[in-house]
Amino acid sequence: MWEIIQESLPQLLAAGFKYTIPLALISFFFGLIIALVTALIRLSRQHGLFMLLKWLAQFYVWLFRSTPLLVQLFIVFFGLPYLRIKGVLPHGIKLEPFTAGIITFSLNTGAYASETIRAAISAVPSGQWEAGAAIGMTRLQVLWRIIIPQALRIALPPLSNSFISLVKDTSLAASITIMEMFEVSQQIAAANYQPLLMYTLVALIYAVFTTVLSGIQHYLEKRLGSQIRVS
Amino acid sequence: MKLTQINKVYGKKHVLKDVTLEIPAGKITVMVGPSGSGKSTILRSLNLLVTPESGQYDFNGHQIDFSQKISSKEKLAIRRETGMVFQDYNLFPHKTVLNNVIEGPTQVLKMGRKQASELARELLTKVGMADYSDVYPNELSGGQAQRVAIARALAMKPQYLLLDEPTSALDPELELSVLKVLLRLAREKQSMVLVTHNMAFAKQIADKIVFIEEGQVLYDGGPEEFFSQNNPNDRIKNFIASMTMENLS
């Protein structure tokens, strides 16, 4: 048994560092940007063009929260090449597996995280908006300097949860031919007929990854917290 | 500062009815009246945290017609020339006392950090909070927090300081520490509009008293006549009596 582990562990770890972790980190980064923009649109005052943007933002959040992630991956990777529009898109949208993965995971995380951020911004007492306005700050200044720093602190624990989910969800990328850890473990299991051992091993590696990553996140949380205090 | 015939409606509630009010510079105007009478709404109209539906507002060369849309430039200008102190302080919890005070000068007036810090220390000394520059608001008592909030408002060098029940959330001893600061500002001829339930303090500090009830001005004049036993208005006499607990039994 040790031999099998010794043989397969390096392959699994290599796949983890090459695909699983980059997928999670890059998607979370873009997901957060998407989430912040979406949350701000949804919280904006209602008039004119903003109504359309608000409706779009709401539709996007609904779409990605109400459909399975696996299905979303399939649509983006296997489905979009068939989105052919004469003159505009004659060959459909063909994406590299990794790109399709990043796009889907970012959009999916963004939809969930936008609700977290929206709730966090709403949770900052309205007196803070008034206090900022009363010293003559613009709405944007109040938002960036007063509201968002406080909202981030409120949002950090739930965002950290989303991140851990994302790390585990990257295993779904196996289904769109990305050679991430779970895909590699399946291939090894198929070759050496040790599915119990292989899948337990890969499960343990996920556990180690999420534990270490959430440890880092925890450290960043503290640092960000203290930075906010100092600034 | 002058409000002419302003009206404010919240839903079906007509909270301000044709309020006309002059607020002299260099004086202390105290607004009193029962809860929900519209005093705070008037105060908030003065720095446009609340915008009435109709009426005129003249202040420092700004002429505002509330029935027209107010440009955000004008709004910001008026807020820059007024300072607001809230009942529940509303200090920025993620900033130190010093950073709370310099936020307006550095961000709005674009003053350098060094110059703003000097100004802030001066103001914090004035309100007796000089030793707390690097402390965060959650470590302050209510009275201390409110004094920092006063320094924060003064840092914008406002023409008028607006105070919305600044001591209502404080116990009597802490209240005194804030009232002393306000008295000192009054002696320096800082123009102030104060909404309060503290009649003893109103009597002592006011140059002018405005009594508001149900969105209307029932009294507008000097404090002597207002607090006099011969005030012809029974409603006001009853109000004062109940606020000072004169005839409890």
Side-chain angles (χ1 to χ4, degrees), chain A residues 187-217:
Chain A
Q187 290 181 357
I188 301 174
N192 67 10
Y193 304 109
Q194 295 281 353
L196 178 63
L197 185 59
M198 280 306 113
Y199 296 146
T200 309
L201 189 59
V202 82
L204 282 174
I205 301 175
Y206 275 112
V208 171
F209 275 5
T210 51
T211 308
V212 171
L213 286 171
S214 62
I216 295 173
Q217 176 112 5

mmCIF file of all heavy atoms in Angstrom, chain A residues 187-217:
data_model
loop_
_atom_site.group_PDB
_atom_site.id
_atom_site.type_symbol
_atom_site.label_atom_id
_atom_site.label_comp_id
_atom_site.label_asym_id
_atom_site.label_seq_id
_atom_site.Cartn_x
_atom_site.Cartn_y
_atom_site.Cartn_z
ATOM 1 N N GLN A 187 -7.913 8.596 -12.896
ATOM 2 C CA GLN A 187 -7.094 7.896 -13.890
ATOM 3 C C GLN A 187 -6.175 6.873 -13.224
ATOM 4 O O GLN A 187 -6.027 5.757 -13.704
ATOM 5 C CB GLN A 187 -6.270 8.906 -14.691
ATOM 6 C CG GLN A 187 -7.157 9.731 -15.611
ATOM 7 C CD GLN A 187 -6.361 10.726 -16.440
ATOM 8 O OE1 GLN A 187 -5.134 10.835 -16.285
ATOM 9 N NE2 GLN A 187 -7.054 11.451 -17.302
ATOM 10 N N ILE A 188 -5.602 7.266 -12.071
ATOM 11 C CA ILE A 188 -4.728 6.318 -11.373
ATOM 12 C C ILE A 188 -5.536 5.121 -10.882
ATOM 13 O O ILE A 188 -5.121 3.971 -11.033
ATOM 14 C CB ILE A 188 -4.002 6.993 -10.185
ATOM 15 C CG1 ILE A 188 -3.148 8.172 -10.679
ATOM 16 C CG2 ILE A 188 -3.108 5.991 -9.458
ATOM 17 C CD1 ILE A 188 -2.514 8.986 -9.550
ATOM 18 N N ALA A 189 -6.737 5.432 -10.338
ATOM 19 C CA ALA A 189 -7.577 4.349 -9.817
ATOM 20 C C ALA A 189 -7.968 3.377 -10.932
ATOM 21 O O ALA A 189 -8.036 2.156 -10.720
ATOM 22 C CB ALA A 189 -8.824 4.929 -9.150
ATOM 23 N N ALA A 190 -8.200 3.908 -12.108
ATOM 24 C CA ALA A 190 -8.586 3.057 -13.219
ATOM 25 C C ALA A 190 -7.443 2.145 -13.646
ATOM 26 O O ALA A 190 -7.653 1.044 -14.127
ATOM 27 C CB ALA A 190 -9.040 3.924 -14.410
ATOM 28 N N ALA A 191 -6.215 2.630 -13.423
ATOM 29 C CA ALA A 191 -5.060 1.844 -13.839
ATOM 30 C C ALA A 191 -4.654 0.821 -12.785
ATOM 31 O O ALA A 191 -4.309 -0.300 -13.111
ATOM 32 C CB ALA A 191 -3.888 2.780 -14.156
ATOM 33 N N ASN A 192 -4.722 1.207 -11.489
ATOM 34 C CA ASN A 192 -4.216 0.272 -10.468
ATOM 35 C C ASN A 192 -5.325 -0.458 -9.691
ATOM 36 O O ASN A 192 -5.041 -1.166 -8.750
ATOM 37 C CB ASN A 192 -3.245 0.989 -9.518
ATOM 38 C CG ASN A 192 -3.930 2.040 -8.663
ATOM 39 O OD1 ASN A 192 -5.162 2.137 -8.623
ATOM 40 N ND2 ASN A 192 -3.128 2.851 -7.978
ATOM 41 N N TYR A 193 -6.559 -0.225 -10.068
ATOM 42 C CA TYR A 193 -7.701 -0.902 -9.413
ATOM 43 C C TYR A 193 -7.727 -0.693 -7.904
ATOM 44 O O TYR A 193 -8.012 -1.611 -7.141
ATOM 45 C CB TYR A 193 -7.707 -2.415 -9.752
ATOM 46 C CG TYR A 193 -7.727 -2.676 -11.228
ATOM 47 C CD1 TYR A 193 -6.606 -3.187 -11.867
ATOM 48 C CD2 TYR A 193 -8.876 -2.392 -11.979
ATOM 49 C CE1 TYR A 193 -6.608 -3.399 -13.232
ATOM 50 C CE2 TYR A 193 -8.879 -2.614 -13.345
ATOM 51 C CZ TYR A 193 -7.749 -3.112 -13.977
ATOM 52 O OH TYR A 193 -7.754 -3.313 -15.323
ATOM 53 N N GLN A 194 -7.392 0.503 -7.449
ATOM 54 C CA GLN A 194 -7.424 0.808 -6.015
ATOM 55 C C GLN A 194 -8.319 2.019 -5.762
ATOM 56 O O GLN A 194 -7.858 3.041 -5.240
ATOM 57 C CB GLN A 194 -6.010 1.114 -5.506
ATOM 58 C CG GLN A 194 -5.039 -0.015 -5.563
ATOM 59 C CD GLN A 194 -5.243 -0.994 -4.417
ATOM 60 O OE1 GLN A 194 -6.039 -0.739 -3.516
ATOM 61 N NE2 GLN A 194 -4.526 -2.103 -4.456
ATOM 62 N N PRO A 195 -9.609 1.958 -6.117
ATOM 63 C CA PRO A 195 -10.451 3.162 -5.985
ATOM 64 C C PRO A 195 -10.581 3.636 -4.533
ATOM 65 O O PRO A 195 -10.516 4.835 -4.273
ATOM 66 C CB PRO A 195 -11.808 2.733 -6.554
ATOM 67 C CG PRO A 195 -11.782 1.246 -6.564
ATOM 68 C CD PRO A 195 -10.350 0.830 -6.694
ATOM 69 N N LEU A 196 -10.740 2.737 -3.600
ATOM 70 C CA LEU A 196 -10.911 3.176 -2.202
ATOM 71 C C LEU A 196 -9.681 3.963 -1.739
ATOM 72 O O LEU A 196 -9.789 5.068 -1.196
ATOM 73 C CB LEU A 196 -11.138 1.961 -1.290
ATOM 74 C CG LEU A 196 -11.285 2.326 0.193
ATOM 75 C CD1 LEU A 196 -12.509 3.207 0.422
ATOM 76 C CD2 LEU A 196 -11.344 1.082 1.063
ATOM 77 N N LEU A 197 -8.528 3.382 -2.004
ATOM 78 C CA LEU A 197 -7.287 4.019 -1.579
ATOM 79 C C LEU A 197 -7.090 5.370 -2.274
ATOM 80 O O LEU A 197 -6.805 6.384 -1.626
ATOM 81 C CB LEU A 197 -6.111 3.078 -1.897
ATOM 82 C CG LEU A 197 -4.749 3.549 -1.398
ATOM 83 C CD1 LEU A 197 -4.761 3.729 0.110
ATOM 84 C CD2 LEU A 197 -3.677 2.556 -1.811
ATOM 85 N N MET A 198 -7.303 5.390 -3.600
ATOM 86 C CA MET A 198 -7.054 6.616 -4.363
ATOM 87 C C MET A 198 -8.002 7.749 -3.946
ATOM 88 O O MET A 198 -7.587 8.878 -3.738
ATOM 89 C CB MET A 198 -7.250 6.334 -5.858
ATOM 90 C CG MET A 198 -6.064 5.655 -6.498
ATOM 91 S SD MET A 198 -4.550 6.595 -6.201
ATOM 92 C CE MET A 198 -3.676 5.478 -5.167
ATOM 93 N N TYR A 199 -9.282 7.403 -3.820
ATOM 94 C CA TYR A 199 -10.250 8.479 -3.520
ATOM 95 C C TYR A 199 -10.111 8.950 -2.071
ATOM 96 O O TYR A 199 -10.335 10.122 -1.754
ATOM 97 C CB TYR A 199 -11.682 8.017 -3.849
ATOM 98 C CG TYR A 199 -11.846 7.745 -5.328
ATOM 99 C CD1 TYR A 199 -12.696 6.731 -5.788
ATOM 100 C CD2 TYR A 199 -11.141 8.484 -6.274
ATOM 101 C CE1 TYR A 199 -12.829 6.475 -7.144
ATOM 102 C CE2 TYR A 199 -11.255 8.224 -7.625
ATOM 103 C CZ TYR A 199 -12.106 7.223 -8.058
ATOM 104 O OH TYR A 199 -12.213 6.964 -9.396
ATOM 105 N N THR A 200 -9.717 8.018 -1.181
ATOM 106 C CA THR A 200 -9.470 8.450 0.201
ATOM 107 C C THR A 200 -8.256 9.375 0.251
ATOM 108 O O THR A 200 -8.260 10.417 0.919
ATOM 109 C CB THR A 200 -9.202 7.226 1.114
ATOM 110 O OG1 THR A 200 -10.247 6.286 0.925
ATOM 111 C CG2 THR A 200 -9.146 7.648 2.569
ATOM 112 N N LEU A 201 -7.261 8.987 -0.527
ATOM 113 C CA LEU A 201 -6.045 9.794 -0.567
ATOM 114 C C LEU A 201 -6.340 11.200 -1.085
ATOM 115 O O LEU A 201 -5.932 12.207 -0.496
ATOM 116 C CB LEU A 201 -5.008 9.103 -1.462
ATOM 117 C CG LEU A 201 -3.600 9.700 -1.462
ATOM 118 C CD1 LEU A 201 -3.006 9.688 -0.062
ATOM 119 C CD2 LEU A 201 -2.699 8.919 -2.432
ATOM 120 N N VAL A 202 -7.095 11.265 -2.187
ATOM 121 C CA VAL A 202 -7.378 12.580 -2.761
ATOM 122 C C VAL A 202 -8.261 13.396 -1.807
ATOM 123 O O VAL A 202 -8.095 14.617 -1.674
ATOM 124 C CB VAL A 202 -7.975 12.456 -4.182
ATOM 125 C CG1 VAL A 202 -9.462 12.181 -4.156
ATOM 126 C CG2 VAL A 202 -7.685 13.718 -4.985
ATOM 127 N N ALA A 203 -9.163 12.707 -1.093
ATOM 128 C CA ALA A 203 -10.003 13.412 -0.115
ATOM 129 C C ALA A 203 -9.131 14.044 0.964
ATOM 130 O O ALA A 203 -9.350 15.204 1.360
ATOM 131 C CB ALA A 203 -11.009 12.446 0.504
ATOM 132 N N LEU A 204 -8.131 13.273 1.421
ATOM 133 C CA LEU A 204 -7.235 13.794 2.450
ATOM 134 C C LEU A 204 -6.466 15.017 1.944
ATOM 135 O O LEU A 204 -6.282 15.987 2.679
ATOM 136 C CB LEU A 204 -6.250 12.702 2.903
ATOM 137 C CG LEU A 204 -6.832 11.683 3.863
ATOM 138 C CD1 LEU A 204 -5.835 10.561 4.137
ATOM 139 C CD2 LEU A 204 -7.200 12.386 5.187
ATOM 140 N N ILE A 205 -6.036 14.943 0.681
ATOM 141 C CA ILE A 205 -5.282 16.096 0.154
ATOM 142 C C ILE A 205 -6.186 17.340 0.099
ATOM 143 O O ILE A 205 -5.774 18.431 0.443
ATOM 144 C CB ILE A 205 -4.701 15.781 -1.239
ATOM 145 C CG1 ILE A 205 -3.764 14.564 -1.143
ATOM 146 C CG2 ILE A 205 -3.906 16.977 -1.765
ATOM 147 C CD1 ILE A 205 -3.223 14.102 -2.481
ATOM 148 N N TYR A 206 -7.447 17.139 -0.325
ATOM 149 C CA TYR A 206 -8.381 18.282 -0.301
ATOM 150 C C TYR A 206 -8.489 18.852 1.111
ATOM 151 O O TYR A 206 -8.491 20.070 1.311
ATOM 152 C CB TYR A 206 -9.774 17.862 -0.799
ATOM 153 C CG TYR A 206 -9.925 17.909 -2.304
ATOM 154 C CD1 TYR A 206 -10.087 16.741 -3.040
ATOM 155 C CD2 TYR A 206 -9.902 19.126 -2.983
ATOM 156 C CE1 TYR A 206 -10.222 16.770 -4.423
ATOM 157 C CE2 TYR A 206 -10.032 19.172 -4.360
ATOM 158 C CZ TYR A 206 -10.197 17.995 -5.078
ATOM 159 O OH TYR A 206 -10.318 18.047 -6.434
ATOM 160 N N ALA A 207 -8.581 17.951 2.092
ATOM 161 C CA ALA A 207 -8.718 18.408 3.476
ATOM 162 C C ALA A 207 -7.499 19.222 3.899
ATOM 163 O O ALA A 207 -7.632 20.273 4.541
ATOM 164 C CB ALA A 207 -8.921 17.212 4.405
ATOM 165 N N VAL A 208 -6.306 18.717 3.513
ATOM 166 C CA VAL A 208 -5.089 19.456 3.869
ATOM 167 C C VAL A 208 -5.094 20.823 3.180
ATOM 168 O O VAL A 208 -4.832 21.855 3.800
ATOM 169 C CB VAL A 208 -3.825 18.649 3.485
ATOM 170 C CG1 VAL A 208 -2.575 19.514 3.642
ATOM 171 C CG2 VAL A 208 -3.725 17.403 4.343
ATOM 172 N N PHE A 209 -5.424 20.829 1.871
ATOM 173 C CA PHE A 209 -5.456 22.094 1.124
ATOM 174 C C PHE A 209 -6.405 23.108 1.764
ATOM 175 O O PHE A 209 -6.044 24.256 2.008
ATOM 176 C CB PHE A 209 -5.908 21.841 -0.327
ATOM 177 C CG PHE A 209 -4.780 21.430 -1.235
ATOM 178 C CD1 PHE A 209 -3.511 21.203 -0.731
ATOM 179 C CD2 PHE A 209 -4.980 21.275 -2.594
ATOM 180 C CE1 PHE A 209 -2.465 20.820 -1.566
ATOM 181 C CE2 PHE A 209 -3.951 20.898 -3.435
ATOM 182 C CZ PHE A 209 -2.696 20.661 -2.926
ATOM 183 N N THR A 210 -7.629 22.683 2.010
ATOM 184 C CA THR A 210 -8.604 23.647 2.547
ATOM 185 C C THR A 210 -8.194 24.117 3.933
ATOM 186 O O THR A 210 -8.385 25.282 4.270
ATOM 187 C CB THR A 210 -10.026 23.048 2.614
ATOM 188 O OG1 THR A 210 -9.953 21.796 3.274
ATOM 189 C CG2 THR A 210 -10.618 22.876 1.239
ATOM 190 N N THR A 211 -7.599 23.198 4.717
ATOM 191 C CA THR A 211 -7.178 23.607 6.050
ATOM 192 C C THR A 211 -6.066 24.653 5.968
ATOM 193 O O THR A 211 -6.132 25.690 6.623
ATOM 194 C CB THR A 211 -6.675 22.388 6.851
ATOM 195 O OG1 THR A 211 -7.679 21.379 6.797
ATOM 196 C CG2 THR A 211 -6.410 22.757 8.294
ATOM 197 N N VAL A 212 -5.076 24.371 5.120
ATOM 198 C CA VAL A 212 -3.968 25.327 4.985
ATOM 199 C C VAL A 212 -4.476 26.650 4.405
ATOM 200 O O VAL A 212 -4.168 27.731 4.915
ATOM 201 C CB VAL A 212 -2.848 24.743 4.089
ATOM 202 C CG1 VAL A 212 -1.801 25.816 3.781
ATOM 203 C CG2 VAL A 212 -2.195 23.550 4.768
ATOM 204 N N LEU A 213 -5.290 26.556 3.345
ATOM 205 C CA LEU A 213 -5.770 27.774 2.707
ATOM 206 C C LEU A 213 -6.642 28.610 3.643
ATOM 207 O O LEU A 213 -6.546 29.829 3.679
ATOM 208 C CB LEU A 213 -6.561 27.440 1.432
ATOM 209 C CG LEU A 213 -5.696 27.002 0.252
ATOM 210 C CD1 LEU A 213 -6.570 26.488 -0.878
ATOM 211 C CD2 LEU A 213 -4.827 28.154 -0.229
ATOM 212 N N SER A 214 -7.477 27.928 4.427
ATOM 213 C CA SER A 214 -8.308 28.731 5.329
ATOM 214 C C SER A 214 -7.477 29.285 6.475
ATOM 215 O O SER A 214 -7.812 30.323 7.040
ATOM 216 C CB SER A 214 -9.527 27.946 5.828
ATOM 217 O OG SER A 214 -9.117 26.822 6.557
ATOM 218 N N GLY A 215 -6.352 28.597 6.779
ATOM 219 C CA GLY A 215 -5.410 29.163 7.744
ATOM 220 C C GLY A 215 -4.817 30.464 7.222
ATOM 221 O O GLY A 215 -4.767 31.469 7.925
ATOM 222 N N ILE A 216 -4.422 30.439 5.947
ATOM 223 C CA ILE A 216 -3.877 31.654 5.326
ATOM 224 C C ILE A 216 -4.935 32.747 5.311
ATOM 225 O O ILE A 216 -4.677 33.902 5.629
ATOM 226 C CB ILE A 216 -3.406 31.352 3.879
ATOM 227 C CG1 ILE A 216 -2.228 30.378 3.906
ATOM 228 C CG2 ILE A 216 -3.013 32.642 3.163
ATOM 229 C CD1 ILE A 216 -1.798 29.889 2.537
ATOM 230 N N GLN A 217 -6.142 32.341 4.946
ATOM 231 C CA GLN A 217 -7.241 33.301 4.894
ATOM 232 C C GLN A 217 -7.454 33.946 6.267
ATOM 233 O O GLN A 217 -7.665 35.153 6.387
ATOM 234 C CB GLN A 217 -8.526 32.587 4.461
ATOM 235 C CG GLN A 217 -9.743 33.479 4.481
ATOM 236 C CD GLN A 217 -10.247 33.744 3.088
ATOM 237 O OE1 GLN A 217 -9.748 33.195 2.109
ATOM 238 N NE2 GLN A 217 -11.252 34.584 2.980
#
